[in-house]
Amino acid sequence: MRPDRLLPICVVACVGLPDQAIAGWSCGIDESLLPQVYALEVIDDRLMAYVGPIERSEDGAGATVVSVDAQGNWTVQPRSEVPIRTASVYADACMDPPPDEEWLRANQPWWDPENHYFQQKIGVCATGGGKRWGGISFYGGEGYGGVGGIVEEDIETGSIRYYRPLKLLDRSTSHLAYFGDNLWIGTAWYGECGTGVGVGVLSAFFDNDEMYADWTLGAGTCGFQVSDMVVHSDALWIATELGLSKVSLSGSRYHYKKFAWTNYVPTGDAENPMREVTCDEVYEELFESEELANAPANDDGAPYAVLWGRVSELRPNFAWQYVRKLNGLDPTDRARVAGLAFTKRGSGDCGVFFFDPATGQTRSLAHAPECPDRLFVSTAPETIYFVLEKELHFVHLSESVGEIHRLPLPDDNFETYRASLAVKPNDQYFPSRESNRLLPTLAGTLNDGRIAIVMGIDMPADDQYSYLFVRNDDHWDIEDQKWCHRFEFPCTFETLDSDVSYYWEMQNGRSVWSQSPEHNDFLKFVESRSPLNEFGHPMAEKELRFDVDGISSSVVARGNYGQDTGLIGTYSMRIVVDGEELRSFSVATCGASSFGRYLLVHPCSSSGNGHLINLESGETRIDSLMQVVWVN
């Protein structure tokens, strides 16, 4: 669709508005390129929406006004001046509680009550649920800063409590509304250019007396910069730079399903001034707009690129599908996980298996007297590698069962290569001796099709010197070498197309959550937080909520908190399906990942206590897993 079908016409001039006066003013994109809605009002029981773009002249500021009645009919009203919406960071304070000094001192080393560069203003408030709520704002330019959050005041007792949800820490609250027993938070960034883009609208809810704020993946406002919020006719209306959103109750008892979203954009057509759309339609129309594509760059970059950055970060599913469509690929075909490779001990031997999540079928690949220490997988072609008895074994998934190929491993004596190596440990750590052995850490296929294996020697601080051995004819040659930091696992090379199974003993419990859950098509909600335990020390908690064909499930993991790595050494995990807790793990669980309908939980050992769990039923599909790796 052409941009003139998407963007409205501003029929009233507007001039003289300071940047901070209109909360929807965009720092990065000329708002005339977007289907912006600037402000909302309720007049005579009708919702009035001021749609852009607005123009500036000596006569003042105005915009086209459209209204909607109780039956959902939109009409154009007489043009009017745009209501001034002073940004929360510049507004008069609506609450002025004492700061939460204990939290600030513990989490913000630069905070000091005398430091005027640290700002905290509550310029927007809402009332609901027996509480008065305040949103924290701060100016983040020119060396100033602050920490976002929400303040709760109990109306009856006057007690004050601060909440610091993760996604609000680096953003200001620009708007607040209480609707459907939830607090709705509009976000923004206030800097030199005025009001900058936030992360859209967050929905806050409470669990075990803690506040969690997040957006719902795949639903919500199309825009990310909130200009106004109004509760009217049993609905919450939200104006953004990409149109108007209506939030209504759906009747579900689950937080992440109980709200229904409808989105509109102005059309510029007097007969049909607003058009119902999906967010994907809005994004695609804008990215196909020649006007947006050819708009000149400003200090923040080209408008097209700025918008793409927002959408790809906050609506990654659309970005993935759109790029696939541009490249002539099926946009609905996600980055496919072909299955799960795993080892499992049987009666007298150990099997290497492949599980296909699409069919739910398990296929036997190989059997050996002992289980390998780890599995490696290469995707071009899809091949499973493992090491047994000084041999590299590999199975191509395209071949028949039991077709195992074998190659001898490179000489594992480090002294064989020491003199010729450019990258190697200091002799004080590894003096010359026969016991210095290289261990296989990764195997797979190079971009040119040759088989390769990474052999490494571990250092006392868990870092590693690694060497890329490549199979040429009937021998191995070292073609690359590097030092890897202790948190860089696996230590790999750019030319090697491979992944490795979770190897908990070597990782010492550092690696816990694979990123795959956050790219699961069924994922609807994810939250990371760091509550305090009974001793006042921070823990780490991660919650993921899924909706699989109408069945809701959630996974909550708790563990120790690592400043650099987040959740480490998980010691409990709960699985709730359709409101009922079906599974609970209290053992030391180091790994969890998911794809589609399945969640993989793995203990901090190779003892055979891993589980593959169906998110629809909570039932274990495969148990007693030892080494595991997703085949991408």
Side-chain angles (χ1 to χ4, degrees):
M1 178 175 289
R2 302 292 302 170
D4 56 5
R5 294 287 301 279
L6 179 65
L7 302 178
I9 299 172
C10 180
V11 295
V12 179
C14 33
V15 68
L17 286 179
D19 287 354
Q20 67 267 28
I22 300 180
W25 187 263
S26 170
C27 289
I29 304 178
D30 178 357
E31 80 279 5
S32 67
L33 299 169
L34 305 177
Q36 185 135 351
V37 177
Y38 281 94
L40 301 172
E41 283 189 315
V42 177
I43 301 176
D44 296 332
D45 204 34
R46 294 178 69 92
L47 179 75
M48 318 293 283
Y50 296 77
V51 302
I54 56 178
E55 297 175 353
R56 301 180 176 190
S57 76
E58 296 179 354
D59 298 328
T64 300
V65 181
V66 296
S67 68
V68 62
D69 60 22
Q71 289 71 43
N73 301 311
W74 294 93
T75 55
V76 176
Q77 300 296 315
R79 54 196 181 185
S80 177
E81 287 191 10
V82 178
I84 300 298
R85 300 288 189 243
T86 303
S88 60
V89 73
Y90 305 108
D92 294 335
C94 55
M95 292 176 66
D96 191 21
D100 51 342
E101 291 194 18
E102 183 177 353
W103 186 93
L104 290 170
R105 291 188 188 279
N107 293 276
Q108 297 295 318
W110 70 297
W111 180 80
D112 186 284
E114 304 301 323
N115 182 3
H116 72 282
Y117 283 98
F118 187 95
Q119 299 201 338
Q120 178 169 290
K121 173 183 279 189
I122 301 175
V124 59
C125 294
T127 302
K131 315 285 185 181
R132 191 161 181 253
W133 308 92
I136 297 173
S137 302
F138 57 91
Y139 180 71
E142 304 172 89
Y144 292 86
V147 183
I150 297 294
V151 180
E152 170 198 283
E153 179 185 7
D154 190 291
I155 294 176
E156 183 176 343
T157 66
S159 62
I160 297 292
R161 179 172 178 178
Y162 280 80
Y163 297 97
R164 302 283 185 174
L166 186 67
K167 283 190 170 61
L168 269 182
L169 294 182
D170 62 350
R171 288 292 184 271
S172 290
T173 297
S174 61
H175 298 80
L176 278 181
Y178 194 86
F179 172 73
D181 295 328
N182 277 60
L183 186 67
W184 298 82
I185 307 166
T187 62
W189 170 259
Y190 298 120
E192 291 95 326
C193 67
T195 300
V197 73
V199 292
V201 171
L202 303 179
S203 174
F205 67 100
F206 294 84
D207 188 14
N208 293 325
D209 204 31
E210 286 292 332
M211 173 186 281
Y212 305 114
D214 215 319
W215 63 81
T216 302
L217 301 182
T221 60
C222 301
F224 315 110
Q225 191 165 352
V226 180
S227 52
D228 217 344
M229 292 201 301
V230 170
V231 177
H232 173 64
S233 295
D234 297 323
L236 173 67
W237 297 84
I238 306 169
T240 74
E241 85 278 25
L242 299 182
L244 179 65
S245 296
K246 176 185 177 183
V247 187
S248 53
L249 295 173
S250 69
S252 173
R253 69 182 187 275
Y254 298 112
H255 161 73
Y256 48 99
K257 291 181 66 179
K258 74 177 184 180
F259 298 107
W261 291 80
T262 311
N263 297 292
Y264 305 89
V265 292
T267 65
D269 182 355
E271 295 295 324
N272 298 290
M274 297 293 276
R275 175 168 59 97
E276 184 176 335
V277 293
T278 66
C279 292
D280 285 3
E281 289 172 345
V282 175
Y283 303 147
E284 189 161 342
E285 290 169 4
L286 285 169
F287 290 130
E288 292 178 359
S289 160
E290 292 184 12
E291 185 178 3
L292 181 66
N294 296 324
N298 57 22
D299 291 343
D300 291 321
Y304 191 101
V306 172
L307 181 62
W308 177 258
R310 297 180 190 177
V311 172
S312 59
E313 177 185 0
L314 300 175
R315 295 292 183 266
N317 284 350
F318 167 81
W320 169 263
Q321 294 176 6
Y322 187 66
V323 170
R324 289 186 62 83
K325 179 180 177 181
L326 291 179
N327 287 276
L329 303 173
D330 181 358
T332 62
D333 184 13
R334 293 282 294 169
R336 185 174 62 96
V337 168
L340 181 74
F342 63 93
T343 60
K344 182 173 180 177
R345 187 173 297 281
S347 55
D349 66 359
C350 180
V352 180
F353 300 91
F354 173 76
F355 172 74
D356 185 345
T359 64
Q361 300 300 310
T362 300
R363 171 184 167 192
S364 174
L365 298 178
H367 287 268
E370 299 294 332
C371 285
D373 286 337
R374 64 193 77 177
L375 297 174
F376 314 108
V377 59
S378 180
T379 58
E382 290 177 340
T383 306
I384 309 297
Y385 293 85
F386 53 93
V387 173
L388 280 175
E389 299 176 347
K390 292 187 177 294
E391 286 187 324
L392 178 64
H393 299 236
F394 55 99
V395 180
H396 299 302
L397 294 181
S398 59
E399 296 180 352
S400 59
V401 177
E403 196 70 29
I404 303 177
H405 306 271
R406 295 178 175 85
L407 288 173
L409 287 179
D411 185 350
D412 63 358
N413 185 354
F414 179 67
E415 300 308 316
T416 304
Y417 316 100
R418 183 194 287 267
S420 62
L421 295 175
V423 180
K424 55 189 173 184
N426 191 298
D427 289 347
Q428 69 178 347
Y429 294 110
F430 286 91
S432 178
R433 57 181 179 227
E434 287 295 315
S435 60
N436 292 340
R437 296 294 173 185
L438 295 170
L439 299 174
T441 60
L442 195 62
T445 308
L446 296 181
N447 297 338
D448 60 13
R450 291 180 298 165
I451 293 174
I453 187 169
V454 178
M455 306 280 282
I457 189 165
D458 294 336
M459 296 293 289
D462 293 340
D463 51 355
Q464 188 179 86
Y465 287 86
S466 293
Y467 307 96
L468 180 68
F469 288 82
V470 179
R471 189 70 176 179
N472 293 310
D473 296 328
D474 59 351
H475 63 280
W476 297 95
D477 297 315
I478 296 179
E479 293 199 358
D480 205 352
Q481 47 194 297
K482 66 186 294 189
W483 170 84
C484 287
H485 188 273
R486 58 181 175 170
F487 291 117
E488 185 181 350
F489 182 86
C491 188
T492 187
F493 296 84
E494 291 183 2
T495 56
L496 183 61
D497 173 26
S498 190
D499 198 2
V500 63
S501 62
Y502 303 106
Y503 189 62
W504 309 118
E505 296 86 356
M506 178 178 174
Q507 294 184 73
N508 196 25
R510 289 196 179 96
S511 179
V512 177
W513 283 86
S514 133
Q515 291 300 308
S516 66
E518 301 188 22
H519 297 282
N520 189 323
D521 285 340
F522 296 115
L523 183 69
K524 298 300 177 187
F525 176 95
V526 60
E527 172 76 49
S528 298
R529 54 236 183 196
S530 53
L532 300 180
N533 62 18
E534 62 269 28
F535 304 106
H537 300 300
M539 300 182 297
E541 190 170 80
K542 193 178 186 83
E543 179 174 5
L544 302 103
R545 296 187 175 184
F546 303 86
D547 190 339
V548 184
D549 297 339
I551 302 297
S552 301
S553 60
S554 65
V555 178
V556 180
R558 257 192 178 181
N560 298 314
Y561 177 80
Q563 183 173 357
D564 296 322
T565 55
L567 184 65
I568 62 175
T570 311
Y571 48 73
S572 72
M573 187 175 296
R574 305 193 317 272
I575 298 176
V576 178
V577 177
D578 211 18
E580 180 181 356
E581 182 173 313
L582 296 183
R583 301 296 300 275
S584 178
F585 297 90
S586 58
V587 298
T589 304
C590 279
S593 59
S594 77
F595 189 82
R597 293 170 168 79
Y598 297 95
L599 174 76
L600 173 65
V601 179
H602 204 282
C604 297
S605 69
S606 297
S607 58
N609 291 326
H611 301 265
L612 186 70
I613 299 168
N614 189 310
L615 288 169
E616 291 174 286
S617 63
E619 298 176 352
T620 296
R621 179 62 182 79
I622 306 173
D623 61 8
S624 304
L625 298 171
M626 300 185 70
Q627 291 296 324
V628 290
V629 61
W630 291 109
V631 181
N632 292 313

